[in-house]
Amino acid sequence: QGGIEGLLDKLKVNPKEGLDPKNEPDMSARRHEFGENKAIIKPPKTIWDLISEQFEDTMLQILTAAAAVSLIIGVIKEGWAKGWMEGLAIFIAVFLIVSVTAGNNYLRDKQFRKLNSKREQRDVEVIRGGKTIQLSVFDLLVGDIMLINTGESFPVDGIVIKSFGIVCDESSATGESDLLHKEVPHPEDPLQANPFLFSGSQVMEGTGAMVVTAVGVYSYNGKNKLKLQEGEE
């Protein structure tokens, strides 16, 4: 069995019923096998990483070297009793500059991540247990039946299973500048339709439904985000 029916059969989902939220073994198995649709965020830097970055600044390197030189010369000329004072004063100044700057950067990064997470959080309509419910995009699983509305930005990849004039803009996802019609493949001529929906693309017209086929780091948008993060490292 091929086509949409074959896909739904392999994903073990009834398009009218959707996934069964009460069947925890099945839900857990889907998370384990296909992943979760969690926000893809670069791991935060530790406070120690931020501190070490401060010493990449030329001025701080000069101040640190000056502190070391001052400490050595001071001890040689005046002995340990008084010679260490000027060098230590410079070290303390460097320590304060590094600590304050690194601390501010850490708090700013933490706040940015919090705001970014809120920005990406939104609900979509899905069918679960035979009912249409509002579900966080972060809770979508492979096999979910998600309803499509005009203006929707896809948080996951999927295949159209019902289309009423769906037209998508994939320019932000695939670079395709032309608007694309999305239709359910006809069993007798499946190659004539384009049922593929990519995360990051947007619905310009129409309504319908899709079955989720990839989430998180396995989705089209997720893979692109990972590549960008790797390129920054």
Side-chain angles (χ1 to χ4, degrees), residues 56-67:
E56 294 177 4
D57 182 80
T58 305
M59 184 57 68
L60 281 178
Q61 291 175 357
I62 293 172
L63 284 174
T64 303

Side-chain angles (χ1 to χ4, degrees), residues 186-204:
H186 193 281
E188 296 180 2
D189 197 5
L191 298 180
Q192 290 301 312
N194 179 359
F196 303 104
L197 304 172
F198 297 100
S199 49
S201 58
Q202 188 171 16
V203 182
M204 307 306 291

Side-chain angles (χ1 to χ4, degrees), residues 134-203:
Q134 294 286 326
L135 186 74
S136 167
V137 294
F138 296 143
D139 293 327
L140 286 170
L141 297 173
V142 169
D144 260 321
I145 303 300
M146 177 179 148
L147 303 186
I148 302 170
N149 296 297
T150 301
E152 182 73 61
S153 178
F154 295 119
V156 292
D157 294 348
I159 300 289
V160 171
I161 61 172
K162 187 185 294 183
S163 175
F164 298 103
I166 294 177
V167 178
C168 290
D169 177 3
E170 296 182 352
S171 58
S172 62
T174 65
E176 175 58 59
S177 58
D178 295 332
L179 296 181
L180 301 174
H181 292 265
K182 302 292 181 176
E183 301 173 353
V184 181
H186 193 281
E188 296 180 2
D189 197 5
L191 298 180
Q192 290 301 312
N194 179 359
F196 303 104
L197 304 172
F198 297 100
S199 49
S201 58
Q202 188 171 16
V203 182

Side-chain angles (χ1 to χ4, degrees), residues 77-96:
K77 287 185 175 181
E78 301 181 35
W80 281 104
K82 296 182 179 180
W84 55 270
M85 293 183 181
E86 186 175 339
L88 181 62
I90 301 175
F91 272 125
I92 291 174
V94 171
F95 174 77
L96 289 174

Side-chain angles (χ1 to χ4, degrees), residues 40-91:
I40 301 171
I41 303 175
K42 193 175 181 178
K45 293 180 179 179
T46 66
I47 189 67
W48 301 113
D49 291 332
L50 294 171
I51 288 175
S52 64
E53 283 184 356
Q54 298 307 307
F55 286 99
E56 294 177 4
D57 182 80
T58 305
M59 184 57 68
L60 281 178
Q61 291 175 357
I62 293 172
L63 284 174
T64 303
V69 171
S70 178
L71 182 64
I72 294 171
I73 293 176
V75 170
I76 292 174
K77 287 185 175 181
E78 301 181 35
W80 281 104
K82 296 182 179 180
W84 55 270
M85 293 183 181
E86 186 175 339
L88 181 62
I90 301 175
F91 272 125

Side-chain angles (χ1 to χ4, degrees), residues 109-123:
D109 181 66
K110 188 176 181 180
Q111 184 68 16
F112 171 77
R113 289 173 182 277
K114 186 177 180 180
L115 291 173
N116 193 53
S117 180
K118 286 184 178 180
R119 182 179 62 82
E120 292 189 6
Q121 161 56 29
R122 59 189 173 88
D123 291 343

